[in-house]
Amino acid sequence: MAAMAVEESVSAATIPSRGLRSRAAAIAAAITIFAALSLYCGIRSEGFISADACTHFMAAKYAFSHPLNFVDVWNRPLVTMLYAVPAHLQGRTAVRIVCMLVAIGCGIVAFRIAVGQGLRFPVLALILTLGQPLVFLHSFGEMTELPFALLFGGAFLAWQNKRYWFAAILVAWTPLARPEGFGFLLIAGIGLVLCRKWRQLLVLPLPILLWDLAGWIISHHSHPWWRWLPDSWPYSGGSAYGRGYLLTFVALLPAVVSPLVLPATLVGIWRSLSFKPPAADDVDGTGKGDHPLRFCIFLTAAIPMLVLGVHSLFYWLGKMASDGEARYLLAVAPFWGVLSARGWEQISLRMKWRHPLRWAAAAIALPILVNLFHPIVPVRLSHDWASAREMARWYQNFSISSPGHPIIAAHPGIFYFLQLNSHDSPDMAANSLHHAAPGTILIWDPIFSDTNASADEMLGLDEILHAPGWKEISAPDPYEANLDSVRKVIRDPNDPRSHWHVFVQSK
């Protein structure tokens, strides 16, 4: 069976693809429709797809006035640099256009990988990448997953084309886009050793060293320069989000690849993994240390499975601040597209479909129909973000009537609506309680204040109440305000942790 799978996958490379004209038309149609829908949702979405999206946008917007944002570990230097100019010049809409272009780039990378692997209908890889529900959602979301996916997908494409220097340069920058990059650096290093590409190994640590040195210089760190990055690492080894089920990410796969596409994805995974990879000491069987196409096909499935497995373990064990979000799997979005295309092609050949591209387009249209009955996009303000807007308005009025009150808050929406750089305010941390200036306003919310990826950035109500000088003051309850299009939240009146609280430092 393994030998037959190898022969089938290799023989697929000899099957001619469709004509260039029809291929170009399909690509242009897919990109045009995707771009139009993404632009519409990006412009019409009042809210962010997640709190992290707002954090990344604000970090990029104020990066030129606060250079430490460019090396911030949480926001990732490469992502901040990507968003900084459009955020500074034109704001959120410009950043969302960049996100759309990055998503389209992921689709093009998937297409090029599929062409190199000999798929008969490589356009399927582009369609089924852009058709992933989360890819579309993140095409107007200021997040890190798709920039990482484009970078790593480009590195894999360069590797598949045996352009090892380019592959090494691209993969070396992945840790500056997402934490998964550190693991991929290790994998790339092993691959270069197996292929005996010794000089390219020297490239891998350079961006991390540059990041560490730049952060040490900008932050005026007193410790040795090589300790800046470990000292600045924001994630807790034990997750503050708790633990979840081991198979959570497996259950989330339909949301990643689209429900009707999932069977094809599973077939693509099986066809890619159904043979043994070459021996480690002779990657192509010739002793020259190069890699064959079939090894790249194997990696196309092995890498997403590795990402899924590692995140499943982190979430199950409650480690590395994992909260079980499906978006983590977007880090390898082009790979899911290629796997789905391989499986869809196999199914269409067995079922003798005359128009596999049209069937694929129909399958990925399902989320659009669902959205008509249960609107998800354009993104509206959730109840806590509408509450943050109300609290920002209250603080603005309070500051006008009584100036000279710095603010401490954990909810990113407060700084967004105030148009303030959160780095200009003290962190929501225990040490801020004891060093805050008199008159400082602390806004405690029930969502972000005592839940964070870093245990150092959390404050419980009891800590504030027992800290010297902090007194709670009356402020309008944002849940009781007239919030447009937001349903009021059911809260326990006897549980203070379900309410917003405002404190002032009186010392």
Side-chain angles (χ1 to χ4, degrees):
M1 291 295 295
M4 291 175 61
V6 174
E7 291 175 2
E8 290 176 3
S9 61
V10 172
S11 64
T14 65
I15 299 176
S17 61
R18 302 187 67 180
L20 293 178
R21 182 175 300 177
S22 59
R23 176 190 292 183
I27 291 174
I31 291 177
T32 300
I33 295 172
F34 179 86
L37 293 174
S38 178
L39 281 173
Y40 172 79
C41 291
I43 293 172
R44 292 291 304 274
S45 292
E46 185 181 11
F48 292 89
I49 65 172
S50 75
D52 284 347
C54 179
T55 302
H56 296 316
F57 168 71
M58 295 295 283
K61 180 176 180 179
Y62 294 105
F64 292 106
S65 59
H66 191 86
L68 193 59
N69 288 11
F70 280 116
V71 294
D72 183 65
V73 178
W74 179 265
N75 291 292
R76 298 285 153 178
L78 209 60
V79 177
T80 302
M81 287 187 285
L82 177 66
Y83 298 155
V85 173
H88 178 74
L89 295 178
Q90 294 294 329
R92 191 173 66 173
T93 299
V95 174
R96 291 183 170 179
I97 292 175
V98 171
C99 294
M100 178 198 68
L101 295 175
V102 169
I104 292 173
C106 289
I108 294 173
V109 165
F111 168 76
R112 295 304 306 168
I113 292 174
V115 169
Q117 293 185 6
L119 268 68
R120 184 174 182 177
F121 304 106
V123 179
L124 277 171
L126 180 141
I127 293 174
L128 297 179
T129 298
L130 299 183
Q132 295 170 29
L134 290 185
V135 167
F136 177 75
L137 191 62
H138 282 241
S139 71
F140 52 91
E142 304 80 351
M143 299 292 284
T144 61
E145 281 80 8
L146 289 188
F148 178 92
L150 179 60
L151 188 64
F152 182 67
F156 182 83
L157 177 61
W159 174 274
Q160 179 173 282
N161 294 335
K162 301 182 181 181
R163 300 174 62 184
Y164 297 106
W165 276 109
F166 192 37
I169 291 172
L170 290 180
V171 79
W173 287 94
T174 56
L176 280 70
R178 277 194 63 79
E180 291 91 341
F182 289 98
F184 287 134
L185 270 189
L186 178 61
I187 295 173
I190 294 173
L192 291 173
V193 169
L194 293 178
C195 291
R196 298 173 175 84
K197 305 298 179 182
W198 310 109
R199 290 180 296 175
Q200 287 84 343
L201 285 170
L202 301 176
V203 175
L204 299 184
L206 293 182
I208 296 178
L209 294 176
L210 179 62
W211 180 17
D212 189 280
L213 183 60
W216 180 74
I217 294 173
I218 294 174
S219 64
H220 306 289
H221 207 269
S222 59
H223 295 148
W225 68 271
W226 50 268
R227 284 187 52 185
W228 179 85
L229 188 56
D231 290 346
S232 303
W233 196 253
Y235 303 97
S236 297
S239 175
Y241 299 123
R243 299 170 57 177
Y245 295 106
L246 179 61
L247 298 180
T248 294
F249 285 97
V250 175
L252 291 173
L253 273 177
V256 177
V257 300
S258 196
L260 294 183
V261 178
L262 180 60
T265 309
L266 298 178
V267 172
I269 293 171
W270 174 78
R271 286 183 58 81
S272 300
L273 295 178
S274 59
F275 63 92
K276 295 180 180 180
D281 59 345
D282 189 10
V283 181
D284 67 345
T286 64
K288 297 180 180 179
D290 214 339
H291 69 270
L293 179 61
R294 66 172 188 161
F295 189 66
C296 291
I297 295 174
F298 174 83
L299 289 177
T300 306
I303 289 173
M305 293 299 96
L306 178 64
V307 172
L308 187 149
V310 170
H311 277 298
S312 296
L313 286 175
F314 282 158
Y315 187 49
W316 183 51
L317 298 174
K319 299 295 183 181
M320 297 304 295
S322 175
D323 59 350
E325 293 191 49
R327 63 182 175 88
Y328 300 160
L329 302 184
L330 282 187
V332 286
F335 293 79
W336 297 118
V338 174
L339 292 172
S340 300
R342 176 169 286 111
W344 196 273
E345 181 177 290
Q346 178 66 18
I347 292 173
S348 65
L349 291 174
R350 292 291 179 90
M351 301 293 292
K352 298 181 180 180
W353 290 344
R354 295 183 59 186
H355 304 289
L357 298 185
R358 296 179 186 178
W359 283 109
I364 62 176
L366 175 64
I368 299 177
L369 298 177
V370 172
N371 193 74
L372 295 177
F373 297 96
H374 299 281
I376 298 175
V377 295
V379 180
R380 299 181 180 181
L381 289 181
S382 62
H383 65 82
D384 63 291
W385 280 80
S387 299
R389 182 176 59 187
E390 294 299 319
M391 294 306 297
R393 290 172 179 171
W394 172 85
Y395 175 77
Q396 283 179 322
N397 295 330
F398 183 81
S399 298
I400 293 173
S401 61
S402 178
H405 291 278
I407 184 173
I408 298 176
H411 200 298
I414 292 178
F415 295 100
Y416 172 73
F417 291 115
L418 289 174
Q419 292 299 292
L420 292 176
N421 183 9
S422 61
H423 286 284
D424 293 334
S425 301
D427 294 329
M428 179 71 81
N431 60 357
S432 299
L433 292 179
H434 304 285
H435 299 92
T440 299
I441 295 293
L442 189 155
I443 300 178
W444 191 94
D445 72 275
I447 304 294
F448 296 94
S449 294
D450 63 353
T451 303
N452 197 285
S454 173
D456 296 333
E457 300 293 325
M458 298 187 300
L459 274 182
L461 275 176
D462 290 340
E463 294 179 80
I464 303 173
L465 293 172
H466 290 91
W470 290 101
K471 293 184 178 181
E472 187 166 4
I473 61 176
S474 61
D477 187 342
Y479 288 144
E480 300 301 326
N482 183 20
L483 306 178
D484 297 336
S485 304
V486 178
R487 291 181 297 179
K488 293 183 179 180
V489 184
I490 299 176
R491 297 171 296 156
D492 183 356
N494 298 318
D495 182 7
R497 295 182 69 256
S498 66
H499 298 258
W500 290 66
H501 298 268
V502 179
F503 300 88
V504 63
Q505 175 56 254
S506 60
K507 291 181 61 177

